[in-house]
Amino acid sequence: MSDMTSPTAPFAIDEQHITNFREHGFTRIPGLIPAEEVAHWRKIALDTIEEDGRRAGMGGGGTALRTTSDPWWKHDSLRDLVRHPRVGAAAEQLAGTPMRVWSGQAYAKHPHDEVPTIWHEDLTLTPLDSPMNVNAWVALVDVPVERGCLIFLPDSHKRPEPHRAEMSAVKSHATTYMFEEWPDLEWYPRVTVPVRAGDVTFHQSTVGHASNGNHSDGVRLAFIISYTGASAIYRPRPGHARMDEELVPGEQLPDGRYPRVSGLTETHRP
Ligand SMILES: O=C(O)CCC(=O)C(=O)O
């Protein structure tokens, strides 16, 4: 580990991860969550999806993902994972700017649910103006290639602007919109990132990514935490669903529901 890069961070990530993330748009941090914590969160995530499960939308695209119907703040069980200080600190150090939590959700792909997650970038789906948005994909089980780990397009965040497509494009041709918007991306090398339980991958919202279906006998279980800049402005575009009635277009996000990473504390240990 290198020196602390933020006075509020409980630890510091290796410089190599910062370089990977900024150069290529993503990185994998092995073992960020210890095994006993992973077991605790795995049970909570599975139970919560079981109680409140629905099929994930992904802007109209086909996907086998199951997630919770309600946002994370309505699930006491998920709140501490969304506010995980070490994952937040890593996201902030990678981004190199103060960040806050935007969302967090458990996602399961059940055994032999073989529908892939479409090629997409997250920015188009995000109703925020922020110079940086980061997704942390927390592996709660081992996810080898055949279980549907993430596949990234390295360097795709460096493509020419505009980086955001219209939501109407995602809704009308979800499975092909990304390569129609940015045809060069279809010919970029693709990097498949198998992960062990407790590993976390981080990617920028402008990076193209997808995942295959689950061709294995075990569930693929992950918790995805989305972070945005601490000064992000809520700016929904046509086609964005309204998730939170309290948000005011054109204004910053309230600290209570969307906590700043600098305010996250270690309260959740099992
Ligand atoms: O888990 C998946 O298949 C997709 C995840 C994803 O799109 C993301 O983390 O941004």
Side-chain angles (χ1 to χ4, degrees):
M1 295 290 172
S2 56
D3 289 345
M4 301 255 292
T5 54
S6 153
T8 54
F11 83 112
I13 57 170
D14 198 278
E15 285 297 328
Q16 189 57 48
H17 292 302
I18 297 177
T19 304
N20 287 345
F21 181 83
R22 296 190 189 166
E23 277 295 305
H24 304 303
F26 67 96
T27 195
R28 173 178 73 99
I29 303 190
L32 190 60
I33 312 284
E36 66 278 11
E37 255 193 73
V38 171
H40 170 78
W41 292 121
R42 180 162 51 231
K43 177 163 177 14
I44 287 178
L46 278 173
D47 288 352
T48 312
I49 290 176
E50 181 74 18
E51 282 159 23
D52 180 39
R54 68 169 167 91
R55 212 163 176 79
M58 198 62 76
T63 172
L65 291 170
R66 304 255 338 148
T67 187
T68 45
S69 303
D70 281 331
W72 64 273
W73 65 80
K74 296 195 180 166
H75 291 287
D76 291 345
S77 54
L78 299 178
R79 190 166 298 130
D80 287 342
L81 182 49
V82 178
R83 300 170 62 99
H84 199 293
R86 204 163 342 114
V87 182
E92 189 165 271
Q93 289 167 43
L94 292 167
T97 185
M99 301 293 280
R100 68 167 76 235
V101 172
W102 164 240
S103 72
Q105 238 155 331
Y107 288 92
K109 247 184 210 183
H110 289 297
H112 300 285
D113 233 344
E114 294 181 1
V115 183
T117 302
I118 57 167
W119 280 104
H120 67 286
E121 35 67 50
D122 302 325
L123 184 67
T124 296
L125 309 173
T126 306
L128 300 171
D129 282 349
S130 169
M132 176 66 82
N133 303 290
V134 178
N135 267 16
W137 202 95
V138 180
L140 298 177
V141 293
D142 287 347
V143 187
V145 173
E146 64 276 13
R147 196 163 283 163
C149 63
L150 290 182
I151 309 166
F152 294 101
L153 298 182
D155 303 352
S156 50
H157 62 310
K158 295 180 179 167
R159 67 187 179 278
E161 306 254 8
H163 285 165
R164 206 189 273 276
E166 298 293 329
M167 278 299 289
S168 54
V170 184
K171 291 197 175 196
S172 62
H173 44 281
T175 54
T176 54
Y177 95 92
M178 197 182 80
F179 296 131
E180 286 169 11
E181 291 288 330
W182 301 285
D184 289 352
L185 296 189
E186 194 160 3
W187 306 102
Y188 275 38
R190 299 176 182 191
V191 174
T192 301
V193 184
V195 283
R196 305 304 304 263
D199 294 357
V200 182
T201 63
F202 293 85
H203 64 265
Q204 300 189 28
S205 63
T206 43
V207 164
H209 57 284
S211 69
N212 288 327
N214 183 355
H215 299 266
S216 79
D217 293 335
V219 67
R220 194 207 80 163
L221 188 67
F223 195 81
I224 302 175
I225 309 171
S226 301
Y227 302 91
T228 190
S231 308
I233 302 293
Y234 177 60
R235 184 126 31 227
R237 273 86 181 169
H240 282 146
R242 191 164 177 81
M243 293 292 292
D244 180 357
E245 294 301 324
E246 287 182 14
L247 289 178
V248 180
E251 292 192 4
Q252 285 193 12
L253 311 180
D255 285 350
R257 184 161 293 173
Y258 303 96
R260 290 170 189 257
V261 164
S262 58
L264 302 181
T265 48
E266 303 263 346
T267 56
H268 65 282
R269 291 290 161 270

